[in-house]
Amino acid sequence: MGIHEKMMHIQTTLKAPKNLYNSFGNYKYRNAEGILEAVKPLLAENKMSMYITDDVQAVGDRVYVKATVKVWDTETGEWVETSALAREALNKKGMDDSQITGTASSYARKYALNGIFLLDDTKDADTDENQKERKARADKQTDDNNTEAIRAMKISKIKQDTLLSLCDEMAFDINKILASYHHKDISEITEGEYQYIVANKDKANVRKIWS
């Protein structure tokens, strides 16, 4: 039996259930350690060995960990391999640099193992969980779009008057405010701009620009 036949046997036999649970995201998952625990007996059964190596690579200002999984057939000397990349987080609360690299390594190794043993780490498209996630993403996108639309709306006459009163109270020059937003008239002020002015009226840098 050649290496590809052995790999096919392992890929169709391997059972690596998602035995870990993420309570924050409400989903089950597997990690590299779980895959290794499940595959070791199958490797021994088929007289194969496996090695995993990491390579840290810098791309621009980001750092990636490249994990390579190589499976050897001890009977024939044949081998197959696959690699996967995981990007280091710029920072992660409560972790030092070595822990951040270790986390990226764990992810890269899991993805490489998924690839070589044909493990699907995605959620089924028809599951309730997947449908809930898609609905949540769609709802969030709708909320974001609605928020942007509201921020782009021109302010009402009442808010125009409120803004003029605020300028009198804070000794702001309304013409400077209009110029900073490239407007010619107060009626062109948008809801987002109005909210910014009101929220930042007491800040020194704002007073310096508009007074």
Side-chain angles (χ1 to χ4, degrees), residues 7 37 45 80 98 134 141 176-177 192 197 201:
M7 285 298 297
E37 182 179 355
E45 177 186 324
V80 292
S98 62
R134 285 185 293 174
Q141 184 63 53
K176 288 185 178 180
I177 293 178
I197 295 168
K201 60 183 174 59

Side-chain angles (χ1 to χ4, degrees), residues 10 44 127:
I10 292 175
T127 62

Side-chain angles (χ1 to χ4, degrees), residues 11-209:
Q11 289 167 348
T12 56
T13 305
L14 177 61
K15 302 295 182 184
K18 298 177 181 178
N19 58 348
L20 301 174
Y21 180 71
N22 184 308
S23 58
F24 179 78
N26 191 30
Y27 63 87
K28 292 182 178 180
Y29 68 100
R30 67 171 68 89
N31 58 13
E33 289 76 9
I35 300 171
L36 292 174
E37 182 179 355
V39 79
K40 285 177 182 178
L42 295 176
L43 292 171
E45 177 186 324
N46 289 275
K47 297 182 179 179
M48 303 176 77
S49 59
M50 183 172 69
Y51 303 91
I52 306 178
T53 57
D54 289 338
D55 180 30
V56 178
Q57 301 178 352
V59 180
D61 61 346
R62 303 307 300 266
V63 176
Y64 292 78
V65 176
K66 178 182 179 181
T68 300
V69 175
K70 181 177 288 188
V71 179
W72 289 85
D73 186 333
T74 60
E75 294 182 308
T76 66
E78 296 177 291
W79 55 271
V80 292
E81 72 173 26
T82 190
S83 300
L85 292 169
R87 191 177 70 184
E88 287 188 355
L90 288 177
N91 56 69
K92 200 156 187 178
K93 188 174 180 179
M95 286 190 178
D96 59 28
D97 290 346
S98 62
Q99 289 173 315
I100 292 174
T101 300
T103 298
S105 171
S106 295
Y107 275 111
R109 290 184 173 208
K110 183 180 77 167
Y111 298 142
L113 289 165
N114 284 346
I116 203 165
F117 294 120
L118 303 183
L119 297 172
D120 186 2
D121 215 37
T122 61
K123 300 178 181 67
D124 295 335
D126 295 330
T127 62
D128 290 340
E129 180 184 346
N130 183 269
Q131 291 178 8
K132 289 178 181 177
E133 287 186 1
R134 285 185 293 174
K135 184 178 185 302
R137 287 196 296 269
D139 290 345
K140 183 179 185 303
Q141 184 63 53
T142 299
D143 290 341
D144 290 344
N145 291 341
N146 289 340
T147 299
E148 286 303 312
I150 291 173
R151 290 179 60 82
M153 291 174 59
K154 307 303 182 184
I155 59 174
S156 65
K157 182 64 170 62
I158 292 176
K159 288 188 176 180
Q160 293 175 30
D161 293 340
T162 300
L163 181 57
L164 289 173
S165 296
L166 176 66
C167 288
D168 289 340
E169 177 186 341
M170 304 298 296
F172 286 161
D173 186 339
I174 186 61
N175 292 316
K176 288 185 178 180
I177 293 178
L178 293 176
S180 69
Y181 289 114
H182 307 288
H183 295 324
K184 294 181 178 180
D185 187 81
I186 192 172
S187 62
E188 297 176 11
I189 293 287
T190 66
E191 185 67 33
E193 293 163 352
Y194 175 83
Q195 292 176 6
Y196 177 85
I197 295 168
V198 173
N200 293 275
K201 60 183 174 59
D202 293 319
K203 293 188 177 180
N205 59 331
V206 171
R207 295 180 65 86
K208 183 177 180 181
I209 293 172

